[in-house]
């Protein structure tokens, strides 16, 4: 497709700016050692907010031995619900996608923390979420 002298890329090939952060478990906050357990991606211009996170207690125990895996899984599922905008997840889940992303990635000194926010460009934010999860969570096993 063209307009004048410029070619307009097909919507599937357009580049989308996105921000992402790695969710990590810090079993002993005072030591600062962490284990990556998920990724959250926000592409504001396409309205995308997605999260992929480990929520199986057995997998969490295998990665982080010193935590209550059931409780940790419950907290991570709550983060997923907020990301999805699930009304049962409370008032934060009702906020726009950008506010939910910033709430999920806000610095905190807790067992579940976020890495600094990074940025990138992709053609498909959902596929990028899967690729980032594979790179930062799956391959760190």
């Amino acid at each position: 497709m063209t307009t004048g002298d410029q070619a307009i890329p097909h919507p599937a090939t357009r580049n989308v700016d996105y921000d992402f952060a790695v969710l990590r478990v810090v079993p002993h906050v005072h030591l600062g050692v962490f284990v990556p357990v998920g990724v959250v991606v926000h592409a504001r211009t396409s309205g995308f907010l997605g999260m992929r996170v480990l929520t199986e207690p057995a997998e969490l125990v295998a990665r982080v031995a010193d935590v209550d895996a059931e409780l940790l899984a419950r907290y991570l599922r709550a983060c997923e619900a907020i990301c999805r905008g699930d009304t049962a997840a409370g008032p934060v889940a009702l906020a726009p996608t950008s506010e939910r992303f910033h709430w999920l990635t806000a610095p905190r000194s807790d067992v579940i923390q976020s890495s600094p926010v990074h940025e990138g460009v992709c053609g498909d934010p959902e596929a990028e979420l899967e690729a980032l999860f594979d790179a930062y969570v799956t391959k760190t096993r």
Side-chain angles (χ1 to χ4, degrees):
M1 189 176 356
T2 63
T3 22
D5 294 340
Q6 285 186 312
I8 298 174
H10 186 275
T13 61
R14 287 192 181 138
N15 286 329
V16 177
D17 294 333
Y18 68 90
D19 295 317
F20 80 96
V22 177
L23 295 181
R24 49 201 187 181
V25 172
V26 186
H28 304 287
V29 176
H30 63 285
L31 296 177
V33 177
F34 62 84
V35 177
V37 295
V39 176
V40 58
V41 172
H42 179 238
R44 185 186 55 78
T45 57
S46 65
F48 178 83
L49 178 62
M51 175 184 285
R52 174 105 189 269
V53 65
L54 300 174
T55 57
E56 289 300 317
E59 180 69 22
L60 292 169
V61 165
R63 289 175 180 247
V64 191
D66 293 350
V67 297
D68 178 339
E70 294 289 335
L71 181 61
L72 179 59
R74 202 167 66 212
Y75 281 132
L76 292 169
R77 284 192 296 274
C79 290
E80 285 181 313
I82 289 167
C83 184
R84 280 192 314 271
D86 185 339
T87 58
V92 169
L94 303 176
T97 57
S98 59
E99 290 180 35
R100 293 195 318 261
F101 176 75
H102 290 295
W103 188 88
L104 289 164
T105 60
R108 52 181 59 99
S109 59
D110 202 351
V111 173
I112 299 174
Q113 296 182 9
S114 166
S115 73
V117 174
H118 305 281
E119 51 192 43
V121 177
C122 69
D124 178 0
E126 194 162 343
E128 191 67 13
L129 172 61
E130 293 302 316
L132 291 167
F133 183 82
D134 188 46
Y136 289 102
V137 179
T138 304
K139 290 189 177 172
T140 60
R141 181 75 174 113

